[in-house]
Each structure stands twice: as C-alpha cells, then as structure tokens.
Amino acid sequence: MTAAPPDRPAAFAADGPYAGLDPNLLAPELRRCLGEAGEDYLDALAGRAPRHAALEADAPMLSDGGSLSYLGRGYRLFVLKRLARLGGVDGLVYGPELRFDLTIAPQVPALSAIRFYAGDALRTLLGHRA
C-alpha cells in the first residue's frame, strides 16, 4: 500500500478505496465517516477485523465459510468469505464490500475487492485464522 501524506488517513492514499479524493475538501463529519469506513475496508482487505464498525447483531448467520456483516457510522461492511472451487481448485472467495448509506453516496452502489484465494494464499492472508 502506498503511504498517505501525514495529513491524510491511509484510506485516502492513492491505492486506498478513495483514490484521488482529498479528505480536506469534505465536511468534518463526512471525513470521519469515510475515514472510518476506509480504514475498516483496508483492515478487512488485510485479513483483520474492522476497528470501527461493530458486528451486525441482526445479520443472518451464513453457512458459507464465514462471511460477516458489520455496521459503521454511515456504512455497512460485508466481509465475504465463501467456500469456492475455481477451475477444479478448492479455495475461498474473500474480500470486503463497502456500502454507504444513501445520504452519503446515493450513486455508489458498493466498493469492493473480492478475490479467489487458494489454500496457501489465504492462509498467508489470514494467518492462523484461515
């Protein structure tokens, strides 16, 4: 990941979820919302639990390999972890999907980075939790 300038959170780095968006142009509450959502997105992308959003208590339990849904301030983060087979190789489809409340981003359906991981690659990403 490219380091963000000191006055910018990592979520606003060139390879973060908001490439080119200057957080200093946003109202403080929106900057906080997008910053927290972006940090949670990057946490999930790196195989870590989100630091801001809380596990969605009312979300249905999925028996798909461990997908989880989290609620944050103005956003929902869904971390897909689904058992899958690609070209005869078993693995997992894994990654974050970030959805904002309509009042924040009515024309952005979702930001996501979902990929297929075969055994060793997923174990490396998630460490001992895979």
Side-chain angles (χ1 to χ4, degrees), residues 36-45 47-62 65-81 94-101 126 129:
E36 289 179 1
E39 287 176 347
D40 285 348
Y41 176 92
L42 293 172
D43 284 343
L45 190 59
R48 298 184 299 266
R51 64 186 91 178
H52 301 288
L55 193 58
E56 189 174 4
D58 297 338
M61 287 296 283
L62 301 174
S67 295
L68 295 171
S69 184
Y70 300 88
L71 286 177
R73 186 187 326 263
Y75 64 95
R76 172 175 276 118
L77 178 70
F78 182 72
V79 181
L80 179 69
K81 187 177 179 185
Y94 176 87
E97 179 183 81
L98 181 59
R99 292 185 177 270
F100 294 100
D101 292 351
L126 299 180
R129 294 170 288 150

Side-chain angles (χ1 to χ4, degrees), residues 8-124:
R8 279 189 196 194
F12 295 95
D15 55 355
Y18 319 121
L21 179 60
D22 184 350
N24 298 313
L25 300 177
L26 304 172
E29 189 57 32
L30 182 57
R31 182 172 49 244
R32 179 179 178 185
C33 167
L34 292 180
E36 289 179 1
E39 287 176 347
D40 285 348
Y41 176 92
L42 293 172
D43 284 343
L45 190 59
R48 298 184 299 266
R51 64 186 91 178
H52 301 288
L55 193 58
E56 189 174 4
D58 297 338
M61 287 296 283
L62 301 174
S63 58
D64 65 350
S67 295
L68 295 171
S69 184
Y70 300 88
L71 286 177
R73 186 187 326 263
Y75 64 95
R76 172 175 276 118
L77 178 70
F78 182 72
V79 181
L80 179 69
K81 187 177 179 185
R82 180 171 295 154
L83 300 170
R85 179 173 284 167
L86 181 64
V89 176
D90 291 329
L92 286 166
V93 175
Y94 176 87
E97 179 183 81
L98 181 59
R99 292 185 177 270
F100 294 100
D101 292 351
L102 290 176
T103 56
I104 294 172
Q107 296 177 330
V108 179
L111 302 176
S112 66
I114 297 171
R115 300 178 177 126
F116 177 82
Y117 292 86
D120 288 342
L122 186 67
R123 280 188 288 281
T124 298

